[in-house]
Amino acid sequence: MGRIARARLAAQVMRRLRRAGCTEVRYDSRAFQVRFTPNVEKQPAILDLAPLLRGPRKGRKRRIQAYISGLSPDPIPRDWQAARPLLRPVLRGATPGNPIKRPALPYLSEYVVIDHPQAMTYVTDDQLQTWHVRADEVFKSARDNLEGATLQGTPTELIRFVDDGDAYWTSHLLLEHWLQRLEPQVGGPPVAFAPERGTLLVTSADGPHLRAVFAQAEELYARSSRPITPVAYVSDAQGCTVPFTVAEDDPLHHTVQRAERILAVQEYARQATHLTEPAAELVLVGDDETGWRTQAVWDEKALLPTADEVRIGDRTIPWPELDVEPVPGLEPIRWQAAGAPQSPPPQGPHARRRPRRSR
């Protein structure tokens, strides 16, 4: 379905939601979702439009009405015992609103949602107060509700988990040791990709097709309406999921480098759409031969994203040479320019030098 047709479908759904008394109805074209606030709650909910694409155009209005009619009139359980089995963890980038979250991976956080047949609602501090529970208990319960399924059978070069809306496969990367347990199925140390919400790819770090899977993940990430990350992930010694890294002289170094920076570019672009202040753009520069970098253009009036380098007129300045201060409350972090670097750049114990972001 093309962009205009998708927007038309979203408009139909939004009209139905408003007629049903929902407020703050907004279309997220990139995620192909409608965000809204039910008339009985103050907390926003999210309606995934993808299921409405199934089936012929004929009868779509009836399916939309049935879809919306099936929404629970009260999506927020009033007590902890009712809420607990409905909780699921999700791995996401920046998300509008103020849901509870905790850092998970570079540019990605772990959130908790209340899982309903047609919609999901992010858990916020208000729910914690209503349920009289701590955030760590909510996160633990959400993880416990995942199946933690393992596979049996003949090893294969690539496993593709396709989500039916209930499996939350990409969320399994949040479970300790889960990825490690797939080693017998892929024939080596597992490397996972979560390019979009409905797809989890797992292959072996020792396999001959890892570069091709990187390319496949990037393509899925780029064309998905619900992207997560093009980066590859592995388990560390404690069984926690961490970004896949290689040495600078490894043939895959530039490939890994590219995926990391594509994620940074997209997450800063997503953030910029929700900022009220001017925000400098982050772009990807370089090539497969010399390597990939992120670059921003200096603007004293705009909030700077963390970058490998910054363009100032006809000069390119490495990030550590900038004189900038972090802006509180922004994630991913942005910086306020304190003044353009002079030539030579500031030196000495009083020069403010900001480290590169952690990789």
Side-chain angles (χ1 to χ4, degrees):
M1 179 181 282
R3 179 175 57 85
I4 295 177
R6 290 160 70 97
R8 187 179 298 118
L9 171 61
Q12 292 176 325
V13 172
M14 293 167 69
R15 284 195 298 270
R16 297 280 186 174
L17 288 171
R18 292 189 178 106
R19 289 173 188 171
C22 299
T23 60
E24 299 179 6
V25 182
R26 183 171 59 84
Y27 174 45
D28 184 340
S29 59
R30 182 170 175 81
F32 197 41
Q33 296 172 335
V34 170
R35 300 172 183 269
F36 65 98
T37 301
N39 57 348
V40 295
E41 290 290 345
K42 296 181 180 179
Q43 303 306 328
I46 298 174
L47 183 64
D48 189 0
L49 300 180
L52 293 174
L53 296 181
R54 302 168 190 151
R57 288 179 59 93
K58 186 177 180 180
R60 180 170 290 163
K61 289 185 178 180
R62 290 194 299 272
R63 292 200 301 276
I64 291 175
Q65 182 58 40
Y67 195 60
I68 293 175
S69 298
L71 296 176
S72 169
D74 188 3
I76 309 296
R78 294 297 185 178
D79 62 81
W80 174 237
Q81 294 305 316
R84 186 171 183 170
L86 301 177
L87 302 180
R88 301 291 186 275
V90 292
L91 190 63
R92 301 285 187 268
T95 298
N98 191 32
I100 63 169
K101 64 179 179 179
R102 60 185 181 184
L105 294 161
Y107 295 102
L108 302 176
S109 297
E110 177 181 0
Y111 300 82
V112 176
V113 298
I114 303 170
D115 185 42
H116 292 281
Q118 284 84 22
M120 67 180 186
T121 305
Y122 283 93
V123 175
T124 69
D125 285 327
D126 288 344
Q127 277 87 63
L128 303 189
Q129 296 175 18
T130 299
W131 299 334
H132 304 290
V133 294
R134 301 186 308 273
D136 58 350
E137 187 174 358
V138 172
F139 281 109
K140 181 181 184 304
S141 297
R143 289 191 180 192
D144 289 345
N145 288 335
L146 290 182
E147 292 183 9
T150 56
L151 302 178
Q152 303 296 330
T154 305
T156 182
E157 293 179 347
L158 176 66
I159 302 173
R160 181 172 181 141
F161 296 87
V162 179
D163 208 321
D164 59 1
D166 298 320
Y168 287 83
W169 286 121
T170 58
S171 299
H172 281 67
L173 295 179
L174 296 166
L175 301 182
E176 293 181 3
H177 303 290
W178 181 81
L179 187 56
Q180 287 177 324
R181 292 198 292 269
L182 296 180
E183 183 167 351
Q185 279 70 51
V186 295
V191 180
F193 297 81
E196 54 104 19
R197 297 184 192 180
T199 305
L200 178 67
L201 305 173
V202 183
T203 189
S204 170
D206 298 333
H209 305 298
L210 184 54
R211 187 188 299 274
V213 182
F214 263 101
Q216 182 181 357
E218 181 180 327
E219 181 181 359
L220 288 169
Y221 175 79
R223 60 183 174 85
S224 175
S225 60
R226 305 182 301 168
I228 298 180
T229 170
V231 173
Y233 300 96
V234 295
S235 290
D236 65 10
Q238 289 72 45
C240 298
T241 300
V242 296
F244 173 69
T245 59
V246 294
E248 290 189 8
D249 59 352
D250 190 285
L252 279 176
H253 176 64
H254 291 167
T255 300
V256 173
Q257 192 182 53
R258 175 180 170 86
E260 292 173 342
R261 282 150 179 79
I262 287 176
L263 177 61
V265 167
Q266 294 302 320
E267 285 302 316
Y268 271 115
R270 187 201 304 251
Q271 179 196 58
T273 63
H274 301 287
L275 294 178
T276 57
E277 299 180 66
E281 182 183 11
L282 187 70
V283 298
L284 181 70
V285 296
D287 53 52
D288 287 330
E289 295 298 323
T290 62
W292 298 94
R293 309 177 306 284
T294 52
Q295 185 181 94
V297 176
W298 182 271
D299 184 343
E300 293 185 359
K301 297 180 180 180
L303 303 182
L304 284 173
T306 307
D308 292 314
E309 60 189 35
V310 175
R311 290 284 299 170
I312 305 177
D314 58 356
R315 294 185 297 158
T316 300
I317 307 297
W319 179 262
E321 296 181 7
L322 295 181
D323 187 11
V324 290
E325 293 288 351
V327 178
L330 291 183
E331 194 175 322
I333 190 170
R334 282 187 182 263
W335 308 80
Q336 184 68 55
Q342 303 299 313
S343 183
Q347 299 291 332
H350 300 294
R352 285 180 293 183
R353 293 170 63 85
R354 301 294 173 187
R356 294 178 186 265
R357 66 174 181 269
S358 60
R359 300 296 186 197

